[in-house]
Amino acid sequence: MYHSKILGLGKYVPENVVTNEDLSKLMTTNDEWIQERTGIKERRHIKKGDGNSTAEMGFKAAKQAIERSEIDKKDIDLIVFATLSPDYYFPGCGVQIQEKLGIDTCPALDVRNQCSGFVYGISVADQFIKTGMYKNVLVIGSENHSGGLDMTDRSRHVSVIFGDGAGAAVLSRSNDDSKILSTHLHSEGKFIDELSLRGPSTEYWVPEIIADNPQEDIPYYPKMNGQLVFKNAIVRFSEVINEGLQHNNLTKEDIDMFIPHQANLRISQYIQQKFQLKDEQVYNNIQKYGNTTAASIPIALTEAWEDGLIQRGDLVVLAAFGSGFTWGSVIIRW
Ligand code: ACO
């Protein structure tokens, strides 16, 4: 059986910085509340006219990842694009990025697993490489949250959390000990409505939404039961990290770098404490980018690698939890 490894990483965030203070001009909130509950100081939002979109940011991150991997873009066998905020209702961002990259034909697959999207995407890529079907797979996580948030008091517990950005990785067949050891995926659909955005959809089409829904329950803005999400996140994060470690006969003492989905700094800190990891063994950047959903792990992984915090031979653990609920982990020997 073949194995895959991460050959190149890239990221892109819009230039426009939105501080907690900026948000307090749009809704009743303040820096102290946001930092205390989430750790977030600022996030990036696309600015109208700056040319960015989910596909465009994904393209910029992908371009960097491909350049760093030193493969020819023509050798990419599959594109996997994870997002909950696509540019089009259909087709997905995968084909958009294929066109932007100038790749004539190759399969392009969109993954709809929200905060776990990148972990699911890595798992899909890893399986295709393991079977020998493909050699090089481009995995992208990108989100344009700011285009769809309710910037009023009605949704203030949701809208202060999310930011825009993209990250990407090129996975290639490995010829040495550096490889993805395993991936572990889960979902539990009974919590579908606890963190969701219902329309526009075939069930909630635009005119019906406007006609049928009272102001306090607008289905085209994200809804979140924050406390239930928090409680489930800390349980599932722990379970799926342990599952990955046990699968590889490893223990928490073997972890060199843990990169959690940047949901909320308090969730990351809880997991860090539970696994008794030192500050230098956990990478967080939610303070400056907010929660960028499918983009958060590849942005954090890229930054940790750029800062020299991940070295050859390190055991790197990625884990995510989010809407669905869905969750998963990736165990990597770097
Ligand atoms: N600014 C100021 N006050 C606010 C804000 C805000 N932005 N939002 C809510 N409040 C107020 C509420 O109105 C409420 O006031 P009240 O007590 O007078 O009624 C009070 O703050 C507490 O509100 P809660 O919604 O209960 O706040 P909570 O303490 O649960 O914190 C939060 C909200 C931060 C969302 C928390 O539940 C949480 O972190 N949950 C985890 C969810 C998460 O991380 N989601 C990320 C996306 S999903 C994912 O990536 C996994």
Side-chain angles (χ1 to χ4, degrees):
M1 187 170 52
Y2 299 104
H3 288 283
S4 73
K5 72 189 224 177
I6 294 178
L7 208 57
L9 288 163
K11 66 154 210 220
Y12 175 81
V13 290
E15 279 174 23
N16 180 34
V17 176
V18 176
T19 63
N20 295 341
E21 176 69 23
D22 293 332
L23 291 183
S24 73
K25 291 171 193 148
L26 302 172
M27 59 188 96
T28 317
T29 190
N30 59 74
D31 181 54
E32 196 191 349
W33 192 97
I34 300 172
Q35 282 210 52
E36 193 185 298
R37 300 288 213 295
T38 70
I40 299 165
K41 296 181 182 176
E42 58 190 40
R43 73 287 290 142
R44 303 296 177 97
H45 283 178
I46 290 175
K47 214 173 182 167
K48 248 198 165 67
D50 73 1
N52 279 311
S53 70
T54 297
E56 181 61 22
M57 291 188 296
F59 162 67
K60 288 170 178 160
K63 204 162 160 283
Q64 189 176 52
I66 295 167
E67 279 161 14
R68 286 171 169 174
S69 72
E70 296 181 1
I71 65 162
D72 192 312
K73 65 184 182 189
K74 301 269 182 305
D75 293 327
I76 292 169
D77 300 308
L78 168 69
I79 295 169
V80 181
F81 200 113
T83 188
L84 64 67
S85 50
D87 292 10
Y88 285 27
Y89 191 81
F90 73 83
C93 287
V95 291
Q96 275 182 279
I97 211 162
Q98 179 192 18
E99 168 67 7
K100 283 175 187 284
L101 284 168
I103 300 172
D104 284 346
T105 69
C106 81
L109 171 73
D110 278 53
V111 167
R112 293 288 309 273
N113 287 75
Q114 299 67 250
C115 302
S116 310
F118 188 75
V119 165
Y120 268 72
I122 290 280
S123 184
V124 168
D126 184 46
Q127 309 316 311
F128 274 119
I129 291 172
K130 271 185 175 153
T131 61
M133 184 158 170
Y134 296 135
K135 273 191 186 166
N136 301 305
V137 183
L138 172 64
V139 184
I140 303 136
S142 181
E143 303 288 0
N144 168 7
H145 283 306
S146 64
L149 292 172
D150 177 12
M151 293 296 190
T152 71
D153 281 12
R154 186 174 44 205
S155 301
R156 61 184 175 160
H157 68 295
V158 178
S159 302
V160 298
I161 293 177
F162 295 100
D164 302 338
V170 172
L171 268 68
S172 293
R173 188 184 287 178
S174 171
N175 301 312
D176 51 38
D177 292 343
S178 162
K179 60 185 172 195
I180 290 179
L181 298 175
S182 61
T183 61
H184 307 269
L185 308 177
H186 298 275
S187 55
E188 193 174 21
K190 78 175 179 205
F191 293 116
I192 186 168
D193 285 324
E194 304 299 340
L195 179 50
S196 62
L197 189 154
R198 293 205 64 167
S201 67
T202 46
E203 194 190 354
Y204 282 95
W205 208 237
V206 179
E208 291 148 30
I209 289 173
I210 292 167
D212 296 348
N213 288 282
Q215 281 301 300
E216 65 274 12
D217 184 23
I218 298 182
Y220 53 81
Y221 286 131
K223 270 195 341 196
M224 176 173 74
N225 179 345
Q227 288 176 15
L228 188 89
V229 171
F230 196 103
K231 281 182 199 150
N232 278 269
I234 55 176
V235 172
R236 297 310 194 181
F237 261 110
S238 306
E239 280 177 8
V240 83
I241 296 164
N242 277 325
E243 182 186 354
L245 292 173
Q246 280 160 17
H247 182 86
N248 294 288
N249 294 319
L250 297 164
T251 67
K252 60 181 171 28
E253 285 71 32
D254 295 308
I255 298 174
D256 294 300
M257 177 56 73
F258 171 50
I259 302 194
H261 159 54
Q262 303 290 294
N264 179 322
L265 191 61
R266 307 300 157 228
I267 295 177
S268 299
Q269 286 168 335
Y270 180 94
I271 303 301
Q272 174 177 350
Q273 209 177 14
K274 184 151 185 202
F275 283 80
Q276 296 167 302
L277 298 170
K278 299 193 194 98
D279 285 350
E280 56 271 26
Q281 291 173 287
V282 183
Y283 192 82
N284 287 306
N285 59 11
I286 190 170
Q287 300 91 330
K288 46 184 186 168
Y289 301 134
N291 179 338
T292 56
T293 306
S296 93
I297 290 182
I299 292 175
L301 185 60
T302 302
E303 285 197 348
W305 173 79
E306 284 171 346
D307 292 350
L309 302 174
I310 302 175
Q311 299 297 328
R312 181 85 207 269
D314 280 356
L315 188 80
V316 179
V317 174
L318 317 178
F321 175 90
S323 159
F325 295 148
T326 59
W327 61 102
S329 63
V330 180
I331 315 291
I332 307 169
R333 179 64 67 195
W334 203 262

